[in-house]
Structures are given as structure tokens and as C-alpha cells.
CSV table of all heavy atoms in Angstrom, one decimal:
chain,number,residue,atom,x,y,z
A,16,LYS,N,-79.0,-33.6,-47.4
A,16,LYS,CA,-79.4,-34.2,-48.6
A,16,LYS,C,-80.5,-33.4,-49.3
A,16,LYS,O,-80.6,-33.2,-50.5
A,16,LYS,CB,-79.8,-35.6,-48.5
A,16,LYS,CG,-78.6,-36.6,-48.3
A,16,LYS,CD,-79.0,-38.0,-48.1
A,16,LYS,CE,-77.9,-39.0,-48.0
A,16,LYS,NZ,-78.3,-40.4,-47.9
A,17,ASN,N,-81.5,-32.9,-48.4
A,17,ASN,CA,-82.6,-32.1,-48.9
A,17,ASN,C,-82.1,-30.8,-49.4
A,17,ASN,O,-82.5,-30.3,-50.5
A,17,ASN,CB,-83.6,-31.9,-47.7
A,17,ASN,CG,-84.8,-31.2,-48.2
A,17,ASN,OD1,-85.4,-31.6,-49.2
A,17,ASN,ND2,-85.2,-30.1,-47.5
A,18,ILE,N,-81.2,-30.1,-48.7
A,18,ILE,CA,-80.6,-28.8,-49.2
A,18,ILE,C,-79.9,-29.0,-50.5
A,18,ILE,O,-80.0,-28.2,-51.4
A,18,ILE,CB,-79.8,-28.2,-48.1
A,18,ILE,CG1,-80.7,-27.8,-46.9
A,18,ILE,CG2,-79.0,-27.0,-48.6
A,18,ILE,CD1,-79.9,-27.4,-45.7
A,19,LEU,N,-79.0,-30.1,-50.5
A,19,LEU,CA,-78.2,-30.3,-51.8
A,19,LEU,C,-79.2,-30.7,-52.9
A,19,LEU,O,-78.9,-30.3,-54.1
A,19,LEU,CB,-77.2,-31.4,-51.5
A,19,LEU,CG,-76.1,-31.2,-50.6
A,19,LEU,CD1,-75.3,-32.4,-50.3
A,19,LEU,CD2,-75.2,-30.0,-51.1
A,20,GLY,N,-80.2,-31.4,-52.7
A,20,GLY,CA,-81.1,-31.8,-53.7
A,20,GLY,C,-80.7,-33.2,-54.3
A,20,GLY,O,-79.6,-33.6,-54.2
A,21,THR,N,-81.7,-33.9,-54.8
A,21,THR,CA,-81.6,-35.3,-55.3
A,21,THR,C,-80.5,-35.4,-56.3
A,21,THR,O,-79.7,-36.3,-56.2
A,21,THR,CB,-82.9,-35.8,-55.8
A,21,THR,OG1,-83.9,-35.6,-54.8
A,21,THR,CG2,-82.8,-37.2,-56.2
A,22,SER,N,-80.5,-34.5,-57.3
A,22,SER,CA,-79.5,-34.6,-58.4
A,22,SER,C,-78.1,-34.4,-57.9
A,22,SER,O,-77.1,-35.1,-58.3
A,22,SER,CB,-79.9,-33.7,-59.6
A,22,SER,OG,-79.8,-32.4,-59.2
A,23,SER,N,-77.9,-33.4,-56.9
A,23,SER,CA,-76.6,-33.2,-56.4
A,23,SER,C,-76.1,-34.3,-55.6
A,23,SER,O,-74.9,-34.7,-55.6
A,23,SER,CB,-76.5,-31.9,-55.6
A,23,SER,OG,-76.7,-30.8,-56.5
A,24,VAL,N,-77.0,-34.9,-54.8
A,24,VAL,CA,-76.6,-36.0,-53.9
A,24,VAL,C,-76.2,-37.2,-54.8
A,24,VAL,O,-75.1,-37.8,-54.6
A,24,VAL,CB,-77.8,-36.4,-53.0
A,24,VAL,CG1,-77.5,-37.8,-52.3
A,24,VAL,CG2,-78.0,-35.4,-51.9
A,25,ALA,N,-76.9,-37.4,-55.9
A,25,ALA,CA,-76.6,-38.5,-56.8
A,25,ALA,C,-75.3,-38.3,-57.5
A,25,ALA,O,-74.4,-39.1,-57.6
A,25,ALA,CB,-77.7,-38.7,-57.8
A,26,SER,N,-75.0,-37.0,-57.9
A,26,SER,CA,-73.8,-36.6,-58.5
A,26,SER,C,-72.6,-36.8,-57.5
A,26,SER,O,-71.5,-37.3,-57.9
A,26,SER,CB,-73.8,-35.2,-59.0
A,26,SER,OG,-72.7,-34.8,-59.6
A,27,ILE,N,-72.7,-36.3,-56.3
A,27,ILE,CA,-71.7,-36.5,-55.3
A,27,ILE,C,-71.4,-37.9,-55.1
A,27,ILE,O,-70.2,-38.3,-55.0
A,27,ILE,CB,-72.0,-35.8,-54.0
A,27,ILE,CG1,-72.1,-34.3,-54.2
A,27,ILE,CG2,-71.1,-36.2,-52.9
A,27,ILE,CD1,-72.8,-33.5,-53.0
A,28,GLU,N,-72.4,-38.8,-55.0
A,28,GLU,CA,-72.2,-40.2,-54.7
A,28,GLU,C,-71.5,-40.8,-55.9
A,28,GLU,O,-70.5,-41.6,-55.8
A,28,GLU,CB,-73.5,-40.9,-54.4
A,28,GLU,CG,-74.0,-40.5,-53.0
A,28,GLU,CD,-75.3,-41.1,-52.7
A,28,GLU,OE1,-76.1,-41.7,-53.5
A,28,GLU,OE2,-75.7,-41.0,-51.5
A,29,LYS,N,-71.9,-40.5,-57.1
A,29,LYS,CA,-71.3,-41.0,-58.3
A,29,LYS,C,-69.9,-40.6,-58.5
A,29,LYS,O,-69.0,-41.5,-58.8
A,29,LYS,CB,-72.2,-40.6,-59.6
A,29,LYS,CG,-71.6,-41.1,-60.9
A,29,LYS,CD,-72.4,-40.6,-62.1
A,29,LYS,CE,-71.8,-41.1,-63.4
A,29,LYS,NZ,-72.5,-40.5,-64.5
A,30,ASN,N,-69.6,-39.3,-58.3
A,30,ASN,CA,-68.2,-38.8,-58.4
A,30,ASN,C,-67.3,-39.5,-57.3
A,30,ASN,O,-66.2,-39.8,-57.6
A,30,ASN,CB,-68.2,-37.3,-58.3
A,30,ASN,CG,-68.8,-36.6,-59.5
A,30,ASN,OD1,-68.9,-37.2,-60.5
A,30,ASN,ND2,-69.2,-35.4,-59.3
A,31,THR,N,-67.8,-39.7,-56.1
A,31,THR,CA,-67.1,-40.3,-55.1
A,31,THR,C,-66.7,-41.7,-55.4
A,31,THR,O,-65.6,-42.2,-55.3
A,31,THR,CB,-67.8,-40.2,-53.7
A,31,THR,OG1,-68.1,-38.9,-53.4
A,31,THR,CG2,-67.0,-40.8,-52.6
A,32,LYS,N,-67.6,-42.5,-56.0
A,32,LYS,CA,-67.4,-43.8,-56.5
A,32,LYS,C,-66.3,-43.8,-57.6
A,32,LYS,O,-65.4,-44.6,-57.7
A,32,LYS,CB,-68.6,-44.5,-57.0
A,32,LYS,CG,-69.6,-44.9,-55.9
A,32,LYS,CD,-70.8,-45.6,-56.5
A,32,LYS,CE,-71.8,-46.1,-55.4
A,32,LYS,NZ,-73.0,-46.7,-56.0
A,33,SER,N,-66.4,-42.8,-58.5
A,33,SER,CA,-65.5,-42.7,-59.6
A,33,SER,C,-64.1,-42.4,-59.1
A,33,SER,O,-63.1,-43.0,-59.6
A,33,SER,CB,-65.9,-41.6,-60.5
A,33,SER,OG,-67.1,-41.9,-61.2
A,34,VAL,N,-64.0,-41.5,-58.1
A,34,VAL,CA,-62.6,-41.3,-57.5
A,34,VAL,C,-62.1,-42.5,-56.8
A,34,VAL,O,-60.9,-42.8,-57.0
A,34,VAL,CB,-62.7,-40.1,-56.4
A,34,VAL,CG1,-61.4,-39.9,-55.6
A,34,VAL,CG2,-63.1,-38.8,-57.1
A,35,LEU,N,-62.9,-43.3,-56.2
A,35,LEU,CA,-62.5,-44.5,-55.6
A,35,LEU,C,-62.0,-45.5,-56.7
A,35,LEU,O,-60.9,-46.1,-56.5
A,35,LEU,CB,-63.6,-45.2,-54.8
A,35,LEU,CG,-63.3,-46.5,-54.1
A,35,LEU,CD1,-62.3,-46.4,-53.0
A,35,LEU,CD2,-64.6,-47.1,-53.5
A,36,GLU,N,-62.7,-45.6,-57.7
A,36,GLU,CA,-62.3,-46.5,-58.8
A,36,GLU,C,-61.0,-46.1,-59.4
A,36,GLU,O,-60.1,-46.9,-59.7
A,36,GLU,CB,-63.4,-46.6,-59.8
A,36,GLU,CG,-63.2,-47.7,-60.9
A,36,GLU,CD,-63.0,-49.1,-60.3
A,36,GLU,OE1,-63.6,-49.4,-59.3
A,36,GLU,OE2,-62.2,-49.8,-60.8
A,37,SER,N,-60.8,-44.8,-59.6
A,37,SER,CA,-59.5,-44.3,-60.2
A,37,SER,C,-58.4,-44.4,-59.3
A,37,SER,O,-57.2,-44.6,-59.7
A,37,SER,CB,-59.7,-42.8,-60.7
A,37,SER,OG,-59.8,-42.0,-59.6
A,38,LYS,N,-58.6,-44.4,-58.0
A,38,LYS,CA,-57.6,-44.7,-57.0
A,38,LYS,C,-57.2,-46.1,-57.1
A,38,LYS,O,-56.0,-46.4,-56.9
A,38,LYS,CB,-58.2,-44.3,-55.6
A,38,LYS,CG,-57.2,-44.4,-54.5
A,38,LYS,CD,-57.8,-43.9,-53.2
A,38,LYS,CE,-56.9,-43.9,-52.0
A,38,LYS,NZ,-57.5,-43.5,-50.8
A,39,LYS,N,-58.1,-47.0,-57.3
A,39,LYS,CA,-57.8,-48.4,-57.4
A,39,LYS,C,-57.0,-48.8,-58.7
A,39,LYS,O,-56.2,-49.6,-58.7
A,39,LYS,CB,-59.0,-49.3,-57.4
A,39,LYS,CG,-59.7,-49.3,-56.1
A,39,LYS,CD,-61.0,-50.1,-56.1
A,39,LYS,CE,-60.9,-51.5,-56.7
A,39,LYS,NZ,-62.2,-52.2,-56.8
A,40,THR,N,-57.4,-48.1,-59.8
A,40,THR,CA,-56.8,-48.4,-61.1
A,40,THR,C,-56.3,-47.1,-61.7
A,40,THR,O,-57.0,-46.6,-62.6
A,40,THR,CB,-57.8,-49.0,-62.0
A,40,THR,OG1,-59.0,-48.3,-62.1
A,40,THR,CG2,-58.1,-50.5,-61.6
A,41,PRO,N,-55.3,-46.5,-61.2
A,41,PRO,CA,-54.8,-45.2,-61.7
A,41,PRO,C,-54.4,-45.3,-63.2
A,41,PRO,O,-53.9,-46.4,-63.6
A,41,PRO,CB,-53.6,-44.9,-60.8
A,41,PRO,CG,-53.1,-46.2,-60.2
A,41,PRO,CD,-54.3,-47.0,-60.2
A,42,SER,N,-54.6,-44.3,-63.9
A,42,SER,CA,-54.2,-44.3,-65.3
A,42,SER,C,-52.7,-44.2,-65.4
A,42,SER,O,-52.1,-43.6,-64.5
A,42,SER,CB,-54.8,-43.1,-66.1
A,42,SER,OG,-54.4,-41.9,-65.5
A,43,GLN,N,-52.1,-44.8,-66.4
A,43,GLN,CA,-50.7,-44.8,-66.5
A,43,GLN,C,-50.3,-43.8,-67.6
A,43,GLN,O,-50.8,-43.8,-68.6
A,43,GLN,CB,-50.2,-46.2,-66.9
A,43,GLN,CG,-50.4,-47.2,-65.8
A,43,GLN,CD,-49.9,-48.6,-66.2
A,43,GLN,OE1,-49.5,-48.8,-67.3
A,43,GLN,NE2,-49.9,-49.5,-65.3
A,44,ALA,N,-49.3,-43.0,-67.2
A,44,ALA,CA,-48.8,-42.0,-68.1
A,44,ALA,C,-47.7,-42.7,-68.9
A,44,ALA,O,-47.0,-43.5,-68.4
A,44,ALA,CB,-48.2,-40.8,-67.3
A,45,PRO,N,-47.5,-42.3,-70.1
A,45,PRO,CA,-46.5,-42.9,-70.9
A,45,PRO,C,-45.1,-42.6,-70.3
A,45,PRO,O,-44.9,-41.5,-69.8
A,45,PRO,CB,-46.6,-42.2,-72.3
A,45,PRO,CG,-47.9,-41.6,-72.3
A,45,PRO,CD,-48.3,-41.3,-70.9
A,46,ALA,N,-44.2,-43.6,-70.3
A,46,ALA,CA,-42.9,-43.5,-69.7
A,46,ALA,C,-41.9,-43.3,-70.8
A,46,ALA,O,-42.0,-43.9,-71.9
A,46,ALA,CB,-42.6,-44.7,-68.8
A,47,LYS,N,-40.9,-42.4,-70.5
A,47,LYS,CA,-39.8,-42.2,-71.5
A,47,LYS,C,-39.0,-43.5,-71.5
A,47,LYS,O,-38.6,-44.0,-70.4
A,47,LYS,CB,-39.0,-41.0,-71.1
A,47,LYS,CG,-37.9,-40.7,-72.0
A,47,LYS,CD,-37.2,-39.5,-71.6
A,47,LYS,CE,-36.0,-39.2,-72.6
A,47,LYS,NZ,-35.3,-37.9,-72.2
A,48,LYS,N,-38.6,-44.0,-72.6
A,48,LYS,CA,-37.9,-45.2,-72.8
A,48,LYS,C,-36.6,-44.8,-73.5
A,48,LYS,O,-36.5,-44.1,-74.5
A,48,LYS,CB,-38.7,-46.2,-73.6
A,48,LYS,CG,-38.1,-47.5,-73.8
A,48,LYS,CD,-38.6,-48.4,-72.7
A,48,LYS,CE,-38.1,-49.8,-73.1
A,48,LYS,NZ,-38.0,-50.7,-71.9
């Protein structure tokens, strides 16, 4: 964490949470009808 730096650690944690959220609620692509 020290080598990565505070802002990088915060970014990694935020992005990881975002990936988790997108996994739970994947965006839906339009389907051909």
C-alpha cells in the first residue's frame, strides 16, 4: 500500500467494488427482435 500510494490504493479499491457491482447487475445489450 505504501509503494502504491494512497490514491492508487483508493482507486484499486473503488474499481474493485465497481467490478463487483457490475458483476451483480450486468448491463443488458439490446436484443434483436
Side-chain angles (χ1 to χ4, degrees):
K16 289 181 174 183
N17 186 48
I18 292 167
L19 291 172
T21 305
S22 63
S23 289
V24 168
S26 179
I27 290 167
E28 290 177 348
K29 180 181 176 185
N30 290 341
T31 303
K32 285 181 180 179
S33 294
V34 170
L35 179 64
E36 190 57 36
S37 67
K38 189 174 177 181
K39 287 176 54 179
T40 54
S42 60
Q43 294 183 350
K47 183 176 178 182
K48 183 94 173 159

